[in-house]
Amino acid sequence: MAQAKDETTLEIDGREVVITHSGKLLIPEAGITKLDLVEYYLAVAEGALRGAGGRPCMLVRYPNGIHDEFFFQKRAPSKRPDWLEVAGIRFPSGRSAEEVVPRHPADLAWMANLACLELHPHPVRAEDLDHPDELRVDLDPVPGVEWPQIQEVARVVHAVLTDLGLKGWPKTSGSRGIHVLVRIEPKWSFDEVRRAALALAREVEKRAPGLATSKWWKEERRGVFVDYNQNAKDRTVTSAYSVRPKPDGRVSAPVSWKELDECDPADFTLRTMPKRFQEIGDPHAEIDRWRCSLESLLELSRRQEAEGHGDAPWPPHYRKASGEPRRAPPSKKPLIEVARADREAEAVAAAQAWKAKHPKVAQHLEPADVLVDRMRGSSSLWYRVRINLEHVPARLRPTEPSDAPRGRAKPRKDAKPKA
């Protein structure tokens, strides 16, 4: 059979992968095609597989590029190579799915052919799906927080981990934040790992008041949120070397602690990373040689509980946990919804249009007063924007606007806010 004009067949370690529509632009601003994406993952395959290899991965697909619809695919496509491994994952909802488990460069190429930009592995190995072998520290800045403050909080994380006898491996998230990975012995449950992450978040907040926060509710956050819930079962984060849906083709870059103090996340892109990888290798090359114990963090958690700090809120689509506080904001803030759309950029643009209609209100808003919520459905996301009016004089506060600019998103019964 003749090969289609826009197809490229690659032979990768004895495995044949056909790249369809290889010239399709996925990131137009950077001129990045689907074939560019495939070749990137092959160039950094050793590092990418160190982060995502051997782990069930959710597919995040951008079939028409980063400016069109994307979707989450938990179930591996039924039409797949017989050499591709899958693992059965059970979710908190009670449902299950067979997810892709990449182990070879050809697996990464096959995933990239599905326009899967990002690698989203679970923190478990396919051989033991019940015991995470990785604790994930996700530093998520609120709007208005600049890179130096995020770096400062990362240094506090490093100090806490070091004091407790754990070794953290930092990387840029490829967006605005920082991830710190801690390889752990696979002997604790998801709930125990999350509890350890919560203890860490609270200790970081204690050491860096005003800079870091462990507060789950967005309207209460100030500074950099240490997202302990990224360690709950069924949560994934982008792994090392993942390409992010950014116009410059930015990637999640493993770095040393020294380099983290000096780097700019914009330096790490799909275009620059292969050369860096060839010249210096993977800064996380030794990560699998360090398997840490969680006992020190769990002991810290027990001390915090004795001081009156019990459990903290779980993500909204999880079953109510024993000892969890009321799953609602503890204080009432004057919030109004001003935008809703299928894409984040559309929601933000609609919110900007609302602010332009209410200039006297807008002049009192701080960056953190604009709350962009990712609303998670069963297989997709949509976005809403809420405004916290607490810094706006009461006489200027509008009521819930009936003329709020909105995108195409409609209310979904299964939608839950996602941190």
Side-chain angles (χ1 to χ4, degrees):
M1 181 182 294
Q3 184 162 315
K5 184 177 180 180
D6 196 20
E7 283 187 357
T8 302
T9 300
L10 301 176
E11 188 77 20
I12 307 166
D13 296 335
R15 297 178 175 183
E16 187 176 279
V17 179
V18 177
I19 310 303
T20 58
H21 307 290
S22 55
K24 177 181 285 187
L25 280 173
L26 297 181
I27 306 180
E29 293 87 345
I32 293 172
T33 66
K34 188 193 287 188
L35 185 59
D36 290 331
L37 180 68
V38 172
E39 291 176 340
Y40 163 77
Y41 275 120
L42 292 177
V44 300
E46 179 186 349
L49 289 170
R50 186 171 288 113
R55 303 176 183 277
C57 288
M58 180 171 60
L59 305 177
V60 187
R61 299 177 60 181
Y62 296 78
N64 295 308
I66 66 170
H67 298 301
D68 209 322
E69 298 296 324
F70 72 100
F71 61 95
F72 294 87
Q73 183 171 340
K74 295 183 177 181
R75 289 170 173 77
S78 57
K79 186 177 180 180
R80 59 179 186 263
D82 56 10
W83 39 259
L84 189 72
E85 184 179 338
V86 296
I89 291 285
R90 292 195 63 83
F91 307 113
S93 64
R95 291 176 293 187
S96 61
E98 287 192 330
E99 294 195 358
V100 173
V101 179
R103 292 192 185 272
H104 305 282
D107 302 346
L108 297 177
W110 180 85
M111 293 166 71
N113 181 56
L114 296 180
C116 181
L117 265 68
E118 303 173 279
L119 302 175
H120 268 258
H122 292 265
V124 293
R125 304 282 179 172
E127 294 77 15
D128 184 353
L129 299 174
D130 295 320
H131 299 95
D133 73 331
E134 189 169 82
L135 180 145
R136 296 168 172 179
V137 185
D138 181 5
L139 303 183
D140 183 13
V142 305
V145 171
E146 301 296 334
W147 179 245
Q149 182 174 336
I150 309 168
Q151 291 171 302
E152 187 170 355
V153 173
R155 286 191 287 270
V156 177
V157 170
H158 187 201
V160 173
L161 291 173
T162 300
D163 290 348
L164 294 174
L166 293 96
K167 186 172 178 62
W169 301 80
K171 67 183 185 71
T172 65
S173 72
S175 184
R176 297 184 61 237
I178 291 172
H179 298 153
V180 181
L181 310 177
V182 181
R183 287 284 204 267
I184 59 175
E185 300 169 8
K187 57 187 288 188
W188 291 277
S189 68
F190 277 93
D191 287 0
E192 289 172 315
V193 176
R194 176 190 171 276
R195 185 152 56 93
L198 175 58
L200 174 67
R202 285 172 169 165
E203 180 64 19
V204 171
E205 181 179 35
K206 179 181 177 182
R207 296 193 189 189
L211 297 179
T213 180
S214 64
K215 300 293 188 297
W216 172 250
W217 301 105
K218 280 189 176 182
E219 52 267 41
E220 291 193 322
R221 297 178 194 168
R222 290 295 181 269
V224 178
F225 174 46
V226 187
D227 190 354
Y228 58 90
N229 269 331
Q230 290 292 24
N231 294 275
K233 185 177 173 62
D234 190 28
R235 303 286 280 210
T236 62
V237 299
T238 51
S239 64
Y241 298 98
S242 287
V243 178
R244 304 305 305 274
K246 302 294 182 182
D248 58 359
R250 198 169 299 193
V251 305
S252 179
V255 293
S256 67
W257 284 107
K258 182 178 184 299
E259 190 177 20
L260 186 64
D261 284 337
E262 305 165 350
C263 72
D264 181 336
D267 294 337
F268 308 116
T269 71
L270 180 149
R271 300 294 191 194
T272 64
M273 185 58 76
K275 182 180 179 182
R276 168 185 163 87
F277 191 85
Q278 185 178 37
E279 291 178 348
I280 72 168
D282 182 6
H284 288 189
E286 302 296 314
I287 190 172
D288 287 317
R289 296 182 60 183
W290 295 81
R291 291 297 177 96
C292 301
S293 171
L294 280 186
E295 287 301 338
S296 59
L297 270 175
L298 292 174
E299 174 58 31
L300 175 62
S301 176
R302 288 188 285 270
R303 294 200 303 269
Q304 291 173 348
E305 290 176 4
E307 296 168 357
H309 303 291
D311 201 358
W314 286 66
H317 59 291
Y318 284 71
R319 184 175 300 172
K320 182 78 172 180
S322 176
E324 180 186 357
R326 182 170 175 265
R327 198 175 288 182
S331 60
K332 295 295 183 181
K333 300 279 187 179
L335 300 173
I336 59 171
E337 181 181 322
V338 300
R340 181 178 293 176
D342 289 324
R343 302 285 291 178
E344 183 175 10
E346 295 169 358
V348 171
Q352 291 295 338
W354 182 89
K355 288 164 68 176
K357 285 185 177 181
H358 301 82
K360 292 183 179 180
V361 174
Q363 68 180 355
H364 293 282
L365 298 177
E366 298 180 2
D369 291 334
V370 181
L371 309 176
V372 181
D373 300 319
R374 302 173 69 192
M375 304 297 290
R376 181 174 178 172
S378 58
S379 62
S380 63
L381 292 176
W382 56 283
Y383 298 83
R384 72 179 181 187
V385 181
R386 294 175 297 154
I387 300 292
N388 181 1
L389 299 172
E390 67 177 327
H391 296 112
V392 179
R395 60 185 174 79
L396 295 178
R397 294 177 184 176
T399 57
E400 185 76 21
S402 60
D403 63 339
R406 296 175 184 249
R408 291 173 289 163
K410 300 294 190 297
R412 294 159 165 82
K413 292 182 179 179
D414 64 342
K416 307 287 185 181
K418 184 177 186 293

